[in-house]
Amino acid sequence: GAAELSHILSGSLLTVQMNELIEIVILCFIVGVFHWIARKRFFGISRDRNEAEQMGWRVGLWDFLFYASFGLVITSSVRIAGVMLVFALLVVPPTAALLFSRKLKIRLIFGWIFGFIATILGVLMSLQFDFPVGPSIITVLLGALITSIPILALYNQKKKIRM
């Protein structure tokens, strides 16, 4: 029981089988293409649900399609990476991006870079100190987020002084 709970929480990134990896890459590719094609609907509904309904969009259907496709990726990822890591990667990079920019495109790029660098550093920390991979990545993600808050505050304070 305890080992199964640990596996669900932390995952098994270093022991993932090639066929599992191929399956999730194909699934993510298909869902990514679907989200790219439907992005205008998804963003439109997110920005103004009432306007989307007035335009005749079937908002309930689009919500279902978004959450169903998103759920497929999440449940598949949890098998490999664990609940904690999947949700940390879903929450921490976008939170950091919100701190640094108001523009959607910049937030997206910043979040990807933030998550990628934190993941690489977490894996390296895991290998160096023989820690579990998932919790190591989460530690780096949260450490980077917490560290960025005072750095951003200092930057904003300097910016105010210049004005």
Side-chain angles (χ1 to χ4, degrees):
E4 182 65 24
L5 180 62
S6 176
H7 175 74
I8 290 170
L9 292 175
S10 299
S12 57
L13 283 174
L14 296 180
T15 60
V16 66
Q17 299 296 313
M18 184 57 79
N19 62 328
E20 290 178 291
L21 193 58
I22 291 169
E23 286 174 12
I24 195 141
V25 166
I26 292 169
L27 176 66
C28 289
F29 177 77
I30 292 168
V31 171
V33 168
F34 168 67
H35 279 238
W36 177 257
I37 292 168
R39 72 187 181 282
K40 291 181 182 176
R41 295 277 174 139
F42 291 150
F43 281 120
I45 292 168
S46 296
R47 287 193 183 112
D48 192 341
R49 187 177 188 87
N50 292 332
E51 183 181 327
E53 288 173 346
Q54 290 172 357
M55 292 172 61
W57 293 358
R58 297 176 63 189
V59 173
L61 174 65
W62 285 103
D63 277 347
F64 172 77
L65 291 172
F66 176 82
Y67 288 113
S69 60
F70 190 64
L72 283 171
V73 172
I74 297 296
T75 54
S76 299
S77 301
V78 164
R79 283 185 301 147
I80 295 171
V83 172
M84 294 187 315
L85 180 57
V86 168
F87 284 97
L89 284 167
L90 282 172
V91 172
V92 177
T95 301
L98 282 170
L99 294 173
F100 285 93
S101 180
R102 297 205 186 281
K103 295 180 180 177
L104 183 61
K105 193 178 280 189
I106 292 173
R107 283 182 188 167
L108 186 62
I109 293 168
F110 182 92
W112 286 342
I113 292 170
F114 185 93
F116 179 77
I117 291 172
T119 299
I120 297 299
L121 292 175
V123 169
L124 292 174
M125 183 176 90
S126 168
L127 294 172
Q128 179 69 32
F129 299 108
D130 196 29
F131 294 152
V133 179
S136 297
I137 295 169
I138 294 167
T139 301
V140 173
L141 279 165
L142 291 175
L145 177 64
I146 292 167
T147 304
S148 66
I149 293 170
I151 291 170
L152 184 62
L154 286 172
Y155 173 76
N156 286 335
Q157 193 164 16
K158 282 185 176 183
K159 204 164 126 181
K160 285 181 184 176
I161 291 172
R162 289 184 191 156
M163 292 179 162

